[in-house]
Amino acid sequence: MKFILTKIFFFLLIVSVTQAQELKLPSNPLDGRIVFEEKGCIQCHAIGGYGGTVAPDLAKDQYYGSFLELASIIWNHIPEMNRKFRELKMERPTFTGKEMLDLIYFIYYLRYLGEPGSVSNGKKLLTEKGCINCHKVSGKGGDIAPDFADLGEYSSPLFMAQAMWNHGPSMLETMKELNLKYPEISGDEINDISAYIRQASALTSVDIRMSPGNPANGKKLFRKKGCVNCHSVGGEGKKTGPNLSELDLNESVTDIAAQMWNHSPAMIDYMKEEKIKYPMFEGNEMADLIAYLYFIGFEDEPGDPVKGRMVFEEKGCVSCHENGGVGPDLSKIKPFDSRIQILQRMWNHAPRMEDLLLIRNNEWPELSKEEMQNLYAYLISIIQKK
Ligand code: HEC
Ligand code: HEC
Ligand code: HEC
Ligand code: HEC
C-alpha cells in the first residue's frame, strides 16, 4: 500500500512538475551562436566547416536529440573536453542558466538548416517531377504556370515551400484536370530545386540566407492557422491527422516542408470534408511554423523517479551525495526552476567531481538519455520545494 501511495505521489509530482518545467521555445535559436563563440567552443569545434578542428564539426549531418539527450551527450564528453582544455591551456567556461539554454537551443538547431542544394540536379528534377508540364524551365515547357526563371524570391527553400503550400489546392486541381500524377518530393529535392531557381533567375547575391524561423511564433501560428483542428502535439486526444509528437520531424527544414507537401492532397481533402478553410501563409510564417514543428522533438518524455533513484545508486552518486559524503545533500540544494539547470549546475560542478573521482580511481559516470531523464525526475522529486 505504501508503495502504491508513493507511486501515486510520484506520478502527481511528475505531472505537476513537467508541466511547470516545460522549456520556453526560443524566438531566435541562433542567439546561442554568440555563447558558442564567447565560451570558446568554437576553438575546438567547427560549425559547418568554420572553426576549430580538434573536435567534431557539430553541424555535420548529426541530429542531437531532445534536451536531456543533448545534456547526456555533453555530460559524457566532459572528461575528454576537460583534458583538451588543460592541454590547450584554455580556461574552462562556466555558464548561467540563460547562456546554457541559448547554447543548447543553438546546437539543437544546427541540423535544421540542412544542406545546400545542387543546381544541375534541381534542373533535372523539374523535368522528372513533371513541373515542366505546366511551368517553363530554361524557356521550355508549359505555359499555364509561371516560368521558374521569374521565381527569384523562391531561391530560399522556405519561401518555395510556402509558395507551394499556398498554391497547393490550385496546382492539385490543375493536375487532376490534366491527368497528371501528384509528385512526391524529398527535402533534398526542395533544396536542389531552390538552388536551380537561384541560378536560373540570375540572382546576383549568392548567399541569400535562410531566415532561421521563430519557433515561439510558430507555436501560435499552429493554432491560428487551424492545424490544431486536426493534429495534436503531445497529449492524447483523437484527431483526424497524426499526432505530430509521434512523428520524426527532427529533420532539416526542407524535410519537414517536404512531408507537408507530400501529405497535402490528403490534407486538402480532409479540409474540404470538414469545411475547414485552407490556411495561407505569408512573410516569414511558414519558416516560423516549421521551426516550431522541428522543436517538437526537443521536449523530453517524462522520466520515472523510481528508476532515477536506481540510476543514482548504480552510478555511484550516493557515495558522495548521501550519508555525509563529500558532496552536498541534493535534497537541500536550491530547486531547479527549469530543466536547463540540471545541466548547467552539473557542468559547473564537474571539475570538482572529476578531481574527486580521480583521487578515488573511479570512472566518470556516463549517462544515457533515459538515465538522464529518470535522474532528472528523481532529483526534482527530492529537492525541497521552497
Ligand atoms: C578544448 C577543446 C574543446 C572545447 C573548447 C569544447 N569541446 Fe566539445 N568536444 C571536444 C572533444 C575532443 C570532443 C569529442 C569527445 C569524445 O569523442 O569523447 C567533444 C565533443 C562534444 C560534443 C559531442 C559531439 C559528438 O557528435 O559526439 C558536443 C555536443 C560538444 N563537444 C559540445 C561542446 C560545447 C557546447 C562546447 C562549448 C561549451 C564545447 N564542446 C567545447 C573538445 C572541445
Ligand atoms: C498541373 C500543372 C502544374 C504542375 C505539374 C506544377 N505546377 Fe506549380 N503551379 C501551377 C499553377 C497553375 C500555379 C499558379 C497557381 C496559382 O496562381 O494559384 C503554380 C504555382 C507554383 C509556384 C508559386 C509561383 C508563384 O507565382 O508564387 C511554385 C513555387 C510552384 N508552382 C512550384 C512547382 C513545382 C516545384 C512543381 C513540381 C514539383 C510544380 N509547381 C508543378 C501549376 C503546376
Ligand atoms: C483537416 C485536417 C487537417 C488540417 C487542418 C491539417 N492537417 Fe496535417 N494532416 C492531416 C492528415 C489527415 C494527415 C495525414 C495525411 C496522409 O496520411 O497522407 C496530415 C499530415 C500532416 C503531416 C505529415 C505527417 C506525416 O505522416 O509525415 C504534417 C507535417 C502536417 N500534416 C502538418 C500540418 C500543419 C503544419 C497544418 C497547419 C497548417 C496541418 N497539417 C493542417 C490533416 C490535417
Ligand atoms: C566523487 C564524488 C561525487 C560523485 C560520484 C558525484 N558527485 Fe555530484 N557533486 C560532488 C561535489 C563535491 C559537488 C559540489 C561541487 C562544487 O561545489 O563544485 C557536487 C555537486 C553536484 C550537483 C550540484 C549541486 C548544486 O549545488 O546545485 C549536482 C546536481 C550533482 N552533484 C549531481 C550528481 C549526480 C547526479 C551524480 C551521479 C551521476 C553525482 N553528482 C556524482 C561530488 C560528487
Side-chain angles (χ1 to χ4, degrees):
M1 186 60 195
K2 188 157 165 254
F3 180 68
I4 295 177
L5 279 178
T6 328
K7 273 227 140 155
I8 293 175
F9 169 67
F10 273 138
F11 176 72
L12 290 176
L13 202 72
I14 300 176
V15 171
S16 60
V17 166
T18 43
Q19 275 168 359
Q21 310 261 327
E22 201 170 288
L23 288 171
K24 249 184 48 215
L25 288 169
S27 307
N28 183 0
L30 297 185
D31 283 348
R33 166 109 210 178
I34 299 163
V35 182
F36 192 80
E37 292 183 10
E38 275 176 5
K39 300 288 175 182
C41 317
I42 194 112
Q43 308 271 353
C44 300
H45 292 279
I47 300 289
Y50 171 76
T53 50
V54 302
D57 185 327
L58 297 182
K60 275 266 148 60
D61 242 25
Q62 171 74 292
Y63 168 68
Y64 296 109
S66 64
F67 167 67
L68 288 173
E69 182 168 2
L70 249 168
S72 84
I73 292 172
I74 292 183
W75 174 256
N76 295 340
H77 285 306
I78 283 179
E80 182 65 26
M81 284 197 238
N82 285 354
R83 208 172 50 77
K84 273 270 186 276
F85 283 127
R86 285 191 292 269
E87 210 177 285
L88 301 175
K89 302 211 163 44
M90 280 172 60
E91 201 186 320
R92 182 180 187 275
T94 55
F95 293 89
T96 64
K98 164 115 180 33
E99 286 170 339
M100 190 55 109
L101 190 59
D102 282 353
L103 181 70
I104 292 284
Y105 280 145
F106 174 65
I107 297 176
Y108 180 77
Y109 208 57
L110 289 171
R111 177 76 190 97
Y112 171 87
L113 297 171
E115 312 285 326
S118 143
V119 175
S120 61
N121 203 41
K123 186 174 179 192
K124 248 186 13 226
L125 283 168
L126 290 172
T127 307
E128 272 172 32
K129 299 283 173 187
C131 317
I132 198 168
N133 286 313
C134 305
H135 293 269
K136 271 206 173 50
V137 179
S138 318
K140 287 197 213 93
D143 46 20
I144 57 174
D147 188 323
F148 280 107
D150 298 332
L151 296 181
E153 71 223 78
Y154 304 126
S155 54
S156 155
L158 274 173
F159 286 128
M160 188 171 89
Q162 176 162 301
M164 286 171 72
W165 172 274
N166 285 344
H167 295 284
S170 59
M171 285 205 250
L172 189 63
E173 200 64 34
T174 321
M175 286 178 207
K176 279 188 188 143
E177 276 164 24
L178 300 179
N179 242 336
L180 294 171
K181 209 171 132 254
Y182 186 83
E184 300 236 321
I185 296 197
S186 73
D188 285 345
E189 289 169 346
I190 293 187
N191 276 327
D192 292 350
I193 293 176
S194 290
Y196 169 74
I197 294 178
R198 198 174 313 149
Q199 210 228 16
S201 54
L203 283 174
T204 40
S205 91
V206 210
D207 64 338
I208 295 177
R209 302 290 296 184
M210 201 154 37
S211 143
N214 175 336
N217 193 42
K219 185 171 182 174
K220 291 188 202 130
L221 288 168
F222 191 75
R223 190 159 285 284
K224 204 170 123 203
K225 300 287 177 185
C227 316
V228 280
N229 290 328
C230 301
H231 292 285
S232 45
V233 170
E236 312 92 72
K238 262 248 157 282
K239 298 228 167 148
T240 329
N243 179 343
L244 297 182
S245 310
E246 283 160 15
L247 294 175
D248 200 5
L249 292 172
N250 314 317
E251 319 229 14
S252 66
V253 54
T254 47
D255 286 324
I256 300 176
Q259 286 191 46
M260 287 177 63
W261 168 260
N262 293 340
H263 290 283
S264 76
M267 286 201 252
I268 291 169
D269 280 351
Y270 276 106
M271 288 188 210
K272 274 196 198 130
E273 248 169 58
E274 314 228 341
K275 303 207 166 46
I276 293 175
K277 204 170 137 256
Y278 188 80
M280 301 291 262
F281 290 82
E282 57 183 31
N284 220 40
E285 288 181 338
M286 184 61 91
D288 293 352
L289 181 73
I290 291 182
Y292 165 64
L293 295 180
Y294 180 77
F295 262 95
I296 290 174
F298 196 65
E299 272 304 314
D300 278 284
E301 311 268 319
D304 174 346
V306 178
K307 288 192 184 136
R309 170 70 204 176
M310 276 149 63
V311 175
F312 198 71
E313 289 170 13
E314 280 160 16
K315 299 288 170 174
C317 319
V318 273
S319 71
C320 294
H321 285 289
E322 279 180 13
N323 307 321
V326 287
D329 176 349
L330 295 183
S331 67
K332 301 222 166 68
I333 63 175
K334 229 170 88 212
F336 298 149
D337 55 24
S338 134
R339 274 187 299 164
I340 197 69
Q341 292 199 332
I342 188 173
L343 179 61
Q344 180 225 349
R345 293 201 209 166
M346 284 172 74
W347 170 281
N348 290 346
H349 289 298
R352 179 114 171 76
M353 279 199 226
E354 201 188 4
D355 288 345
L356 289 164
L357 287 170
L358 273 178
I359 296 168
R360 297 184 183 182
N361 233 344
N362 280 351
E363 288 200 3
W364 186 252
E366 296 213 340
L367 297 166
S368 69
K369 167 179 143 189
E370 284 74 24
E371 286 167 342
M372 194 57 112
Q373 286 170 344
N374 293 334
L375 192 59
Y376 177 67
Y378 170 67
L379 287 180
I380 49 177
S381 77
I382 61 164
I383 293 177
Q384 278 174 358
K385 296 206 151 180
K386 297 229 169 88

